[in-house]
Amino acid sequence: MEFVGEGMENSVLDTVVIGAGQAGLAASYHLAHRGLAPHRDFVTLDANDGPGGAWRHRWDSLTLGRAHGVHDLPGSPLGTPDPEEPASRVVARYYGDYERRFGLPVLRPLRVDAVSSRPDGLLEVAAGERRFATRSLINATGTWDKPFWPAYPGRDSFAGRQLHTHDFVSAEEFAGQRVVVVGGGTSAVQFLLQLDAAGAATTWVTRRPPEWVVRPFDTEWGRAVEDRVRARTERGLPPESVVAATGIPLTPEYRAGIDAGVLVSAGPMSAVTPRGVRLADGRLVEADAILWATGFRHSLDHLAPLRLREPGGGIRTDGVRAARDPRVFLVGYGASASTLGATRAGRDAALAMLDALPRAA
């Protein structure tokens, strides 16, 4: 077992940042920008083999023009890349250049297994065989590593292929197949359009009627959504799904999909059968594949030893700080899960952590 800096004067880190996505890089930038020494005072741990956070895993057909906004990182704007280039490549390049430009102490690949409290009041971060002793923690692990598969009767009986958004690569591999797409969010909508264009026969299954929204998705709207999500996390409730908080923007492309009959929900389903799905109204839909575009949950299992969760299932927050442990800051959680919110929360967590240091008193 290795403790970073063991036997050295600075054997204890001021903070460990977990995750090198938007939120983690923003926090790391502000820590370094305000005087913490990379590698000596803080490190950033990332489970990926290279830069880009969750974006590096997205399918190539998700171009920058189709992606939800990629917000600028502090101190280095993204600029205006080609909107037809895959977002995975754009963001991986942007994040990699950013890490190098500001000398951020990103250590990878290091997947954090557990964070626990030591008798001396420090936190211990376990990542494989390595151990990091730290006064505080900035958790920015996001959701990509925890796809949500809803429970339905018969799900294990389906004889065809089942995959999640997490596993999607290309619509072309489903050409000529019957595909049921489950989920009421933007990813499901984009999958349906791509699958239809690739020659698949699609059926859209949603628990509720799709919530199409005709209004600008501007800063004012974004703040309102963040306030709504924050109200839940401050009560210790789990954050709601993205589509529940935002709805689906009714773009001209989506309106055309509705008119063409592609973006029309068949309603909810009651069960999965060996040959397809049974809808709530009793209809049977045969399928070769089921694509579960059912979202993600926050990847927080490594924090379980700290017992941060409330009876309602969520982690109660006071701003970006975990209410049950003031040493722990959560960014990319709840209201800060968007790219704009994550950048701002990274800054807020870094400043709050710095304010709590003895030397900042």
Side-chain angles (χ1 to χ4, degrees):
M1 302 290 181
E2 177 187 357
F3 279 90
V4 170
E6 188 171 16
M8 298 170 61
E9 182 179 357
N10 264 346
S11 59
V12 175
L13 295 163
D14 287 326
T15 197
V16 169
V17 180
I18 305 178
Q22 188 93 17
L25 292 180
S28 300
Y29 167 87
H30 285 289
L31 292 172
H33 192 62
R34 286 164 172 79
L36 289 197
H39 296 288
R40 187 194 69 191
D41 297 330
F42 79 101
V43 293
T44 303
L45 310 182
D46 186 43
N48 291 300
D49 292 331
W55 287 100
R56 68 182 284 107
H57 304 292
R58 302 298 173 90
W59 49 98
D60 282 352
S61 58
L62 182 63
T63 60
L64 194 67
R66 288 179 173 270
H68 291 288
V70 178
H71 198 263
D72 290 342
L73 286 164
S76 182
L78 173 62
T80 55
D82 180 359
E84 296 304 312
E85 185 177 5
S88 58
R89 298 179 199 169
V90 174
V91 178
R93 184 171 63 245
Y94 176 43
Y95 285 10
D97 291 344
Y98 191 83
E99 292 173 13
R100 289 186 292 272
R101 177 179 178 183
F102 294 106
L104 302 181
V106 181
L107 306 181
R108 63 166 61 95
L110 278 181
R111 181 175 298 278
V112 173
D113 302 307
V115 180
S116 56
S117 188
R118 301 193 341 179
D120 59 4
L122 297 174
L123 294 169
E124 180 177 312
V125 180
E129 293 299 310
R130 302 191 69 174
R131 300 292 183 269
F132 300 81
T134 179
R135 296 182 178 90
S136 66
L137 180 81
I138 298 177
N139 191 83
T141 44
T143 62
W144 185 255
D145 291 337
K146 202 166 184 180
F148 174 63
W149 297 76
Y152 278 93
R155 199 184 78 189
D156 294 338
S157 71
F158 182 60
R161 179 184 177 189
Q162 297 189 64
L163 70 160
H164 192 275
T165 300
H166 183 275
D167 313 303
F168 183 84
V169 176
S170 169
E172 281 66 32
E173 60 187 276
F174 298 96
Q177 297 186 26
R178 300 161 299 179
V179 184
V180 171
V181 178
V182 185
T186 306
S187 292
V189 169
Q190 293 180 353
F191 288 148
L192 286 159
L193 293 176
Q194 291 179 47
L195 289 164
D196 179 71
T202 62
T203 301
W204 190 14
V205 169
T206 62
R207 288 186 301 163
R208 296 181 297 272
E211 186 180 348
W212 301 105
V213 178
V214 182
R215 64 151 294 164
F217 279 40
D218 52 19
T219 301
E220 179 184 351
W221 164 84
R223 299 279 188 179
V225 170
E226 287 184 18
D227 289 344
R228 173 176 166 179
V229 177
R230 186 180 298 109
R232 288 181 59 85
T233 58
E234 287 180 350
R235 300 198 307 271
L237 299 174
E240 60 188 345
S241 69
V242 172
V243 70
T246 67
I248 309 171
L250 187 55
T251 65
E253 180 186 24
Y254 294 171
R255 191 183 296 276
I258 295 171
D259 294 340
V262 178
L263 300 184
V264 177
S265 173
M269 68 177 178
S270 60
V272 179
T273 71
R275 298 178 60 183
V277 302
R278 179 182 293 110
L279 300 178
D281 62 11
R283 286 180 294 160
L284 293 174
V285 177
E286 293 191 352
D288 301 297
I290 301 175
L291 173 53
W292 298 87
T294 45
F296 299 79
R297 298 294 182 262
H298 288 280
S299 183
L300 300 172
D301 291 349
H302 55 286
L303 301 181
L306 299 178
R307 301 182 181 275
L308 301 178
R309 292 193 183 275
E310 301 292 332
I315 298 178
R316 186 163 53 91
T317 57
D318 179 8
V320 293
R321 180 170 268 158
R324 286 181 177 260
D325 193 329
R327 299 170 297 179
V328 178
F329 302 87
L330 298 172
V331 295
Y333 176 77
S336 62
S338 68
T339 55
L340 173 59
T343 300
R344 187 167 55 247
R347 177 201 63 203
D348 292 346
L351 296 182
M353 192 286 300
L354 290 166
D355 286 343
L357 287 180
R359 65 179 174 222

